[in-house]
Amino acid sequence: MGAGVCLPLFVPGNRPERFAKAAAAGSGMVILDLEDAVAGPAKAAARDAVLHEADMLAGAQVLVRINGAGTPWHDADVAAVAGLHRAGLLLAKAEDPDRLRALADGLGPGRATWALIETARGMANARHLALAADRIVFGSVDFCADLGMAHRRDILLPFRAELVLAARLAGRAAPLDGVTTALDDPRQVSDDAAHARALGFGGKLLVHPRQIEPARAGFRPSESEVEAARRILRQAGAGGALAVDGEMVDEPVLIRARELVAQWEELA
């Protein structure tokens, strides 16, 4: 995958036999999970597996989702990731930007630090977390559980919009949307991805390799969108305001047209 659309694939940290397969699945990034996918008694073994295997994975960027600050496993998770050479981390239930900065300082340059926003306090601090993290990510299922909300698009719309705005204000890459829990419904995955794309998200989290292609399809512009964008770019020439198909075209429209063509070429 190119730098545009990001589709990280979760792998339970206590299933090391799946690590290499996930890295080769084609999403471009794997997240070795030490948090929700691993029960408490298995967390130490999962941490050891990640520590021994993460640096040897080829074919994908690697992040490790660590347990949130204040949990019994957080400090050991941080130490394990620090012991790796190239993996970044995804902080579960991120709420404190100072904690994120400390984690980034501990990992050093070249190691990504992402914030998973999935609580009311995390959402309230989203703009500060976006400044402290390399990227923010929406944990929509946990977020709804924290607030006692139904996991519905109409309800989540203002919160998703806030994360897109927070990332833009911080000068960061577009945020990633949360998972689609349906494992056997590619249409739902594609539809959720298209919704995220329309809102300005730069990708979404995946929980199974068979979600990769439907998610790519959802983030791929339609042929009609791309053809219209190419027509605008052809007729624009050297730039300036003009009319194409009866609509005014100026620089913001040209920027969007270039983005659509780039997304199409990346995901074709």
Side-chain angles (χ1 to χ4, degrees):
M1 300 255 337
V5 176
C6 187
L7 301 172
L9 175 63
F10 274 117
V11 191
N14 60 341
R15 300 300 300 269
E17 73 278 6
R18 297 183 182 178
F19 291 179
K21 183 178 180 180
S27 74
M29 178 180 290
V30 294
I31 300 175
L32 307 181
D33 191 8
L34 297 178
E35 199 225 7
D36 281 350
V38 182
K43 287 187 185 289
R47 190 183 306 117
D48 288 342
V50 168
L51 186 58
H52 286 96
E53 300 289 339
D55 279 335
M56 294 185 285
L57 295 179
Q61 185 178 348
V62 178
L63 293 179
V64 179
R65 176 161 73 167
I66 65 172
N67 289 275
T71 65
W73 312 283
H74 177 75
D75 291 343
D77 288 353
V78 172
V81 178
L84 298 170
H85 293 97
R86 66 184 188 94
L89 66 79
L90 172 64
L91 177 62
K93 297 175 175 62
E95 296 180 345
D96 182 358
D98 290 336
R99 182 60 185 150
L100 270 174
R101 293 187 185 95
L103 290 172
D105 290 344
L107 289 184
R111 306 272 299 275
T113 305
W114 289 12
L116 187 58
I117 296 177
E118 47 189 344
T119 66
R121 189 176 299 277
M123 184 64 68
N125 290 336
R127 299 189 189 191
H128 300 292
L129 291 167
L131 287 167
D134 293 302
R135 196 160 203 168
I136 55 174
V137 184
F138 193 22
S140 57
V141 175
D142 283 81
F143 179 75
C144 287
D146 187 48
L147 275 75
M149 294 164 44
H151 193 265
R152 289 185 359 211
R153 285 184 190 169
D154 57 335
I155 293 172
L156 288 170
L157 180 59
F159 303 107
R160 285 190 163 109
E162 169 59 19
L163 295 185
V164 173
L165 181 59
R168 184 69 185 93
L169 290 172
R172 300 292 192 257
L176 304 186
D177 200 12
V179 303
T180 297
T181 57
L183 300 180
D184 298 312
D185 190 348
R187 180 172 295 181
Q188 183 65 55
V189 176
S190 181
D191 195 41
D192 285 349
H195 178 68
R197 171 180 170 257
L199 289 174
F201 281 81
K204 76 184 265 81
L205 301 175
L206 308 178
V207 294
H208 196 282
R210 61 175 170 259
Q211 293 184 328
I212 295 172
E213 288 308 315
R216 286 171 62 93
F219 275 96
R220 185 183 301 126
S222 68
E223 292 187 16
S224 60
E225 284 181 297
V226 174
E227 177 52 38
R230 286 174 171 159
R231 186 163 59 250
I232 287 170
L233 294 175
R234 284 196 302 269
Q235 296 186 31
L242 71 158
V244 177
D245 297 335
E247 295 187 10
M248 189 192 78
V249 172
D250 56 8
E251 187 57 25
V253 177
L254 294 175
I255 291 172
R256 180 58 178 158
R258 296 185 193 106
E259 290 174 347
L260 286 170
V261 172
Q263 287 179 347
W264 173 265
E265 291 175 348
E266 178 193 358
L267 297 171

mmCIF file of all heavy atoms in Angstrom, residues 14 38-47 73:
data_model
loop_
_atom_site.group_PDB
_atom_site.id
_atom_site.type_symbol
_atom_site.label_atom_id
_atom_site.label_comp_id
_atom_site.label_asym_id
_atom_site.label_seq_id
_atom_site.Cartn_x
_atom_site.Cartn_y
_atom_site.Cartn_z
ATOM 1 N N ASN A 14 -1.122 -13.106 21.203
ATOM 2 C CA ASN A 14 -0.886 -14.468 21.688
ATOM 3 C C ASN A 14 -1.054 -15.515 20.592
ATOM 4 O O ASN A 14 -1.165 -16.707 20.881
ATOM 5 C CB ASN A 14 -1.821 -14.785 22.856
ATOM 6 C CG ASN A 14 -3.288 -14.687 22.481
ATOM 7 O OD1 ASN A 14 -3.652 -14.058 21.485
ATOM 8 N ND2 ASN A 14 -4.151 -15.306 23.283
ATOM 9 N N VAL A 38 -6.406 -10.088 23.869
ATOM 10 C CA VAL A 38 -5.673 -11.015 24.733
ATOM 11 C C VAL A 38 -6.225 -10.926 26.151
ATOM 12 O O VAL A 38 -6.226 -9.856 26.762
ATOM 13 C CB VAL A 38 -4.157 -10.692 24.737
ATOM 14 C CG1 VAL A 38 -3.407 -11.695 25.600
ATOM 15 C CG2 VAL A 38 -3.603 -10.669 23.315
ATOM 16 N N ALA A 39 -6.667 -12.061 26.692
ATOM 17 C CA ALA A 39 -7.173 -12.097 28.060
ATOM 18 C C ALA A 39 -6.034 -11.898 29.056
ATOM 19 O O ALA A 39 -4.863 -12.167 28.756
ATOM 20 C CB ALA A 39 -7.862 -13.430 28.322
ATOM 21 N N GLY A 40 -6.378 -11.419 30.237
ATOM 22 C CA GLY A 40 -5.378 -11.099 31.255
ATOM 23 C C GLY A 40 -4.344 -12.176 31.507
ATOM 24 O O GLY A 40 -3.135 -11.906 31.493
ATOM 25 N N PRO A 41 -4.763 -13.439 31.721
ATOM 26 C CA PRO A 41 -3.773 -14.478 32.008
ATOM 27 C C PRO A 41 -2.811 -14.760 30.855
ATOM 28 O O PRO A 41 -1.736 -15.328 31.084
ATOM 29 C CB PRO A 41 -4.652 -15.709 32.297
ATOM 30 C CG PRO A 41 -5.969 -15.160 32.718
ATOM 31 C CD PRO A 41 -6.148 -13.909 31.910
ATOM 32 N N ALA A 42 -3.177 -14.381 29.638
ATOM 33 C CA ALA A 42 -2.335 -14.657 28.476
ATOM 34 C C ALA A 42 -1.470 -13.472 28.073
ATOM 35 O O ALA A 42 -0.688 -13.571 27.118
ATOM 36 C CB ALA A 42 -3.208 -15.080 27.289
ATOM 37 N N LYS A 43 -1.577 -12.350 28.763
ATOM 38 C CA LYS A 43 -0.889 -11.146 28.322
ATOM 39 C C LYS A 43 0.641 -11.261 28.414
ATOM 40 O O LYS A 43 1.362 -10.765 27.537
ATOM 41 C CB LYS A 43 -1.389 -9.929 29.101
ATOM 42 C CG LYS A 43 -2.794 -9.489 28.672
ATOM 43 C CD LYS A 43 -3.197 -8.186 29.324
ATOM 44 C CE LYS A 43 -4.635 -7.807 29.003
ATOM 45 N NZ LYS A 43 -4.836 -7.396 27.601
ATOM 46 N N ALA A 44 1.145 -11.889 29.447
ATOM 47 C CA ALA A 44 2.602 -12.012 29.574
ATOM 48 C C ALA A 44 3.180 -12.844 28.442
ATOM 49 O O ALA A 44 4.212 -12.484 27.845
ATOM 50 C CB ALA A 44 2.958 -12.623 30.929
ATOM 51 N N ALA A 45 2.524 -13.962 28.118
ATOM 52 C CA ALA A 45 2.993 -14.802 27.014
ATOM 53 C C ALA A 45 2.885 -14.061 25.691
ATOM 54 O O ALA A 45 3.767 -14.173 24.827
ATOM 55 C CB ALA A 45 2.195 -16.098 26.978
ATOM 56 N N ALA A 46 1.804 -13.296 25.509
ATOM 57 C CA ALA A 46 1.651 -12.524 24.282
ATOM 58 C C ALA A 46 2.750 -11.481 24.161
ATOM 59 O O ALA A 46 3.322 -11.275 23.080
ATOM 60 C CB ALA A 46 0.279 -11.846 24.264
ATOM 61 N N ARG A 47 3.074 -10.820 25.266
ATOM 62 C CA ARG A 47 4.140 -9.821 25.269
ATOM 63 C C ARG A 47 5.476 -10.454 24.865
ATOM 64 O O ARG A 47 6.236 -9.902 24.068
ATOM 65 C CB ARG A 47 4.229 -9.175 26.649
ATOM 66 C CG ARG A 47 5.130 -7.957 26.718
ATOM 67 C CD ARG A 47 5.194 -7.434 28.143
ATOM 68 N NE ARG A 47 3.875 -7.168 28.689
ATOM 69 C CZ ARG A 47 3.351 -7.797 29.734
ATOM 70 N NH1 ARG A 47 4.037 -8.738 30.369
ATOM 71 N NH2 ARG A 47 2.144 -7.481 30.168
ATOM 72 N N TRP A 73 -0.774 -3.921 33.072
ATOM 73 C CA TRP A 73 0.137 -4.421 32.040
ATOM 74 C C TRP A 73 0.854 -3.303 31.286
ATOM 75 O O TRP A 73 1.750 -3.571 30.478
ATOM 76 C CB TRP A 73 -0.656 -5.255 31.030
ATOM 77 C CG TRP A 73 -1.557 -6.236 31.699
ATOM 78 C CD1 TRP A 73 -1.213 -7.425 32.285
ATOM 79 C CD2 TRP A 73 -2.971 -6.114 31.877
ATOM 80 N NE1 TRP A 73 -2.307 -8.050 32.815
ATOM 81 C CE2 TRP A 73 -3.417 -7.271 32.580
ATOM 82 C CE3 TRP A 73 -3.916 -5.156 31.512
ATOM 83 C CZ2 TRP A 73 -4.746 -7.481 32.919
ATOM 84 C CZ3 TRP A 73 -5.246 -5.368 31.856
ATOM 85 C CH2 TRP A 73 -5.657 -6.506 32.547
#
